[in-house]
């Protein structure tokens, strides 16, 4: 009731709305952070001065002994060509997709900028919880999520400042996962399935070990035994590869050509392990996943009923076992402002939804009616108009066709607008990357391939696609 609490509550409300509005942008920043791993110089080749191919080059080195070209030794290793061990000439020593678009310094700048955005977002979330650590680290998923986010942020910042960025790609993936709710939900479902899969996988393991043991015995002192079953461990590895069909039937041909009876060993193993056990693993996985989905749906319904009952109690100020129209309208106003998952409701739509809730037409909502509040919000309302398009008026057969209706739904959907916006943003990014040297004030030479009339550069491919 004091002035400090009022100020803190006001800040919490404002920050709560900022969290809602900025969450999508922060997820986008997380994807940028994650994608850096595909465009930065790989960590393994930044300092490879001990390799003979690097020693043979006359390179300028910085104060730290690393080639001072922005890419480290990656620029030379990933472009190096020569003759392979099997005699093929002019082949890349380290095959790659030539996607090294950023220097080490540029990667660090982008990464630090993304980390600053995420840090600010977490501070805003802390303010949303009223600057109360107990609420920010509330027991459950919220506690481990925020703890993991802070730990990853500290590790990434420390790595960039100290130069130890070896584990940054993994840390970037972790922090992105903490912002993807659907990923967390599916990961948790997968982790719960693992104990239930142990029995099935143990049966497969026993079969592989038994056949490997049998293979070491029957193929002893034969070419097949020396190559595929020199020991029990090697035999297990050979049969595990065989389960994946990566080496089957090639692995059985030496013994099969010598003695046709050995086909019994190989075919029986494939029937039991591949056709039975692997299908058993698949069926058990599918059943357990379906059970997990059903359990998740049931727990969601119970939680929804519990929370709606608590909300009804809070809204029933006079303990009259009903809430007024005005209270419901204020709730819808707050939902419009704070919950992005719920579409923004117009004045007419609010009154229509209230009419759906008020089944007895009394003007007030009882508990049984209020329990349908969540389902009512999922209704999609649309306005009809007498206006008819050109196709609807003059080409009615095309308008009524299924394909045209699908096209109309795609064009009118929110995802279509988002896709167009994404293409425009990506187009701008591609142009900025292509003209980076010019925008940075450096020397810029026009690539002769740009004006030859052919689509033969990566930039022309992107531009043509957009």
């Amino acid at each position: 009731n004091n002035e400090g609490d009022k100020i803190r509550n006001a800040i919490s409300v404002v920050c709560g709305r900022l969290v809602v509005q900025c969450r999508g942008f922060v997820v986008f920043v997380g994807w940028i952070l994650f994608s850096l791993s595909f465009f930065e110089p790989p960590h393994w080749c930044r300092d490879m001065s001990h390799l003979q191919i690097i020693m043979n080059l006359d390179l300028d080195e910085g104060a730290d002994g690393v080639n001072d070209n922005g890419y480290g030794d990656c620029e030379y290793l990933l472009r190096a060509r020569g003759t392979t061990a099997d005699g093929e000439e002019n082949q890349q020593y380290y095959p790659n997709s030539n996607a090294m678009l950023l220097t080490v310094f540029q990667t660090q700048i982008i990464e630090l900028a993304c980390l600053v955005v995420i840090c600010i977002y977490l501070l805003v979330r802390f303010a949303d919880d009223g600057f109360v650590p107990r609420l920010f680290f509330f027991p459950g998923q919220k506690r481990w999520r925020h703890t993991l986010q802070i730990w990853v942020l500290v590790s990434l910042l420390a790595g960039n400042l100290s130069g130890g960025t070896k584990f940054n790609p993994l840390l970037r993936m972790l922090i992105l996962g903490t912002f993807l709710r659907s990923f967390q939900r599916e990961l948790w479902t997968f982790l719960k399935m693992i104990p239930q899969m142990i029995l099935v996988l143990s049966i497969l393991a026993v079969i592989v070990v038994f056949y490997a043991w049998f293979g070491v015995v029957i193929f002893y002192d034969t070419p097949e035994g020396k190559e595929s079953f020199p020991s029990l461990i090697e035999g297990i590895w050979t049969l595990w590869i065989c389960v994946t069909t990566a080496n089957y039937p090639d692995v059985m041909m030496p013994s099969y050509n010598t003695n046709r009876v050995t086909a019994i060993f190989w075919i029986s193993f494939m029937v039991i392990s591949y056709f039975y056990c692997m299908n058993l693993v698949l069926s058990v996985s599918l059943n357990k996943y379906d059970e997990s989905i059903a359990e998740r749906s049931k727990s969601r319904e119970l939680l929804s009923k519990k929370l709606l009952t608590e909300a009804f109690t809070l809204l029933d100020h006079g303990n009259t076992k009903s809430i007024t129209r005005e209270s419901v309208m204020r709730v819808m106003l707050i939902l419009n402002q704070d919950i992005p998952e719920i579409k923004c409701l117009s004045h007419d739509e609010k009154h229509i939804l209230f009419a759906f809730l008020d089944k007895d037409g009394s003007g007030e909502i009882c508990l049984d009616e209020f329990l349908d509040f969540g389902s009512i919000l999922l209704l999609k309302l649309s306005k009809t108009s007498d206006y008819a398009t050109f196709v609807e008026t003059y080409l009615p057969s095309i308008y009524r066709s299924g394909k045209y209706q699908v096209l109309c739904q795609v064009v009118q959907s929110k995802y279509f607008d988002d896709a167009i916006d994404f293409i425009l943003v990506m187009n701008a990014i591609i142009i900025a990357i292509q003209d980076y040297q010019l925008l940075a004030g450096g020397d810029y030479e026009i690539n002769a391939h740009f004006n030859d009339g052919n689509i033969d550069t990566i930039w022309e491919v992107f531009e043509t696609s957009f």
Side-chain angles (χ1 to χ4, degrees):
N1 296 324
N2 56 41
E3 191 66 24
D5 290 339
K6 292 181 180 179
I7 296 175
R8 186 175 63 179
N9 291 339
I11 294 175
S12 178
V13 171
V14 173
C15 290
R17 294 177 180 174
L18 284 175
V19 167
V20 171
Q21 299 299 326
C22 298
R23 187 180 184 281
F25 175 72
V26 174
V27 173
F28 177 71
V29 170
W31 278 109
I32 293 177
L33 198 61
F34 172 73
S35 63
L36 287 179
S37 302
F38 299 95
F39 302 107
E40 67 176 348
H43 293 79
W44 64 267
C45 66
R46 291 184 182 180
D47 184 12
M48 301 293 286
S49 56
H50 61 281
L51 293 181
Q52 188 64 39
I53 188 175
I54 299 297
M55 296 179 183
N56 294 338
L57 297 174
D58 185 14
L59 306 174
D60 295 329
E61 296 189 347
D64 56 357
V66 180
N67 297 324
D68 193 13
N69 55 13
Y71 300 96
D73 293 329
C74 298
E75 182 176 9
Y76 307 102
L77 287 177
L78 299 183
R79 294 179 182 177
R81 290 179 172 271
T83 303
T84 61
D86 55 0
E88 294 187 20
E89 298 181 353
N90 196 28
Q91 298 295 316
Q92 289 182 323
Y93 286 131
Y94 303 93
N96 60 91
S97 59
N98 295 319
M100 193 172 60
L101 304 178
L102 301 173
T103 64
V104 176
F105 178 74
Q106 291 169 342
T107 301
Q108 290 178 336
I109 293 299
I110 296 175
E111 186 168 33
L112 288 174
C114 293
L115 294 179
V116 168
V117 172
I118 296 176
C119 287
I120 294 175
Y121 177 77
L122 289 181
L123 288 175
V124 175
R125 292 216 61 158
F126 184 58
D128 177 31
D129 290 324
F131 302 100
V132 180
R134 178 177 55 84
L135 296 178
F136 187 73
F137 295 102
F138 194 79
Q141 293 186 3
K142 189 174 182 179
R143 171 178 291 179
W144 72 257
R145 186 188 307 117
H146 286 167
T147 302
L148 182 60
Q149 288 173 345
I150 293 174
W151 175 77
V152 172
L153 284 174
V154 172
S155 300
L156 286 172
L157 289 171
N160 278 282
L161 296 177
S162 64
T165 59
K166 182 178 181 180
F167 297 102
N168 279 23
L170 176 61
L171 296 175
R172 296 167 190 162
M173 183 175 63
L174 283 176
I175 199 167
L176 173 62
T178 61
F179 288 106
L180 301 178
R181 295 175 182 174
S182 58
F183 168 77
Q184 298 167 19
R185 183 167 56 249
E186 298 303 327
L187 178 62
W188 178 244
T189 301
F190 172 75
L191 293 177
K192 289 196 300 184
M193 288 171 55
I194 293 178
Q196 301 168 344
M197 293 296 301
I198 291 178
L199 177 60
V200 180
L201 294 176
S202 62
I203 294 174
L204 178 61
V206 169
I207 293 172
V208 172
V209 171
F210 173 77
Y211 269 84
W213 187 358
F214 197 55
V216 171
V217 174
I218 65 174
F219 296 119
Y220 178 74
D221 201 23
T222 64
E224 181 78 29
K226 295 177 181 178
E227 180 179 354
S228 302
F229 295 94
S231 64
L232 180 62
I233 300 300
E234 289 295 329
I236 292 173
W237 180 245
T238 297
L239 292 180
W240 174 245
I241 298 175
C242 193
V243 171
T244 67
T245 69
N247 62 355
Y248 184 83
D250 296 341
V251 68
M252 68 172 282
M253 295 313 296
S255 60
Y256 180 75
N257 291 333
T258 303
N259 191 338
R260 295 293 194 264
V261 179
T262 58
I264 300 176
F265 171 85
W266 294 104
I267 294 176
S268 63
F269 173 76
M270 291 302 294
V271 168
I272 296 174
S273 64
Y274 180 73
F275 291 102
Y276 175 72
C277 286
M278 294 306 292
N279 283 289
L280 182 62
V281 169
L282 177 62
S283 61
V284 171
S285 300
L286 181 60
N287 290 336
K288 295 302 181 183
Y289 186 79
D290 289 341
E291 292 176 4
S292 178
I293 295 298
E295 180 183 351
R296 185 192 308 170
S297 178
K298 183 178 180 180
S299 62
R300 187 180 300 165
E301 291 178 2
L302 294 175
L303 179 61
S304 175
K305 184 176 181 179
K306 176 184 176 182
L307 295 178
L308 286 172
T309 303
E310 293 178 358
F312 182 87
T313 303
L314 293 174
L315 293 171
D316 184 15
H317 304 292
N319 198 22
T320 60
K321 306 300 181 181
S322 63
I323 54 179
T324 63
R325 175 190 295 267
E326 289 74 16
S327 297
V328 175
M329 293 301 168
R330 290 171 182 171
V331 169
M332 292 184 179
L333 176 62
I334 294 174
L335 293 178
N336 276 350
Q337 295 174 343
D338 295 346
I339 309 299
E341 290 82 3
I342 299 177
K343 64 178 181 178
C344 186
L345 301 173
S346 65
H347 181 270
D348 294 337
E349 289 176 333
K350 293 176 184 177
H351 286 277
I352 292 173
L353 294 181
F354 182 85
F356 281 120
L357 281 176
D358 188 16
K359 298 176 182 178
D360 57 4
S362 62
E364 295 183 344
I365 305 299
C366 65
L367 177 59
D368 291 338
E369 293 172 335
F370 191 73
L371 291 178
D372 295 329
F373 189 73
S375 301
I376 293 297
L377 291 176
L378 296 177
L379 294 177
K380 294 183 179 181
L381 305 177
S382 60
K383 294 183 178 180
T384 59
S385 174
D386 295 333
Y387 171 77
T389 63
F390 176 85
V391 176
E392 184 179 1
T393 304
Y394 297 101
L395 301 172
S397 59
I398 297 178
Y399 177 79
R400 289 192 294 269
S401 65
K403 294 181 180 180
Y404 187 82
Q405 291 300 318
V406 171
L407 176 63
C408 292
Q409 293 176 2
V410 171
V411 173
Q412 294 173 359
S413 67
K414 177 180 178 297
Y415 298 105
F416 183 80
D417 292 339
D418 294 341
I420 296 299
D421 294 339
F422 176 76
I423 290 173
L424 293 175
V425 171
M426 291 302 299
N427 190 30
I429 293 174
I430 292 299
I431 293 175
I433 295 176
Q434 180 181 354
D435 298 334
Y436 173 76
Q437 293 295 335
L438 178 63
L439 296 175
D443 296 333
Y444 181 75
E445 296 182 3
I446 299 178
N447 193 332
H449 291 285
F450 289 162
N451 299 319
D452 60 1
N454 298 320
I455 304 176
D456 50 6
T457 66
I458 185 63
W459 306 116
E460 290 176 320
V461 171
F462 278 121
E463 292 173 357
T464 304
S465 301
F466 291 141

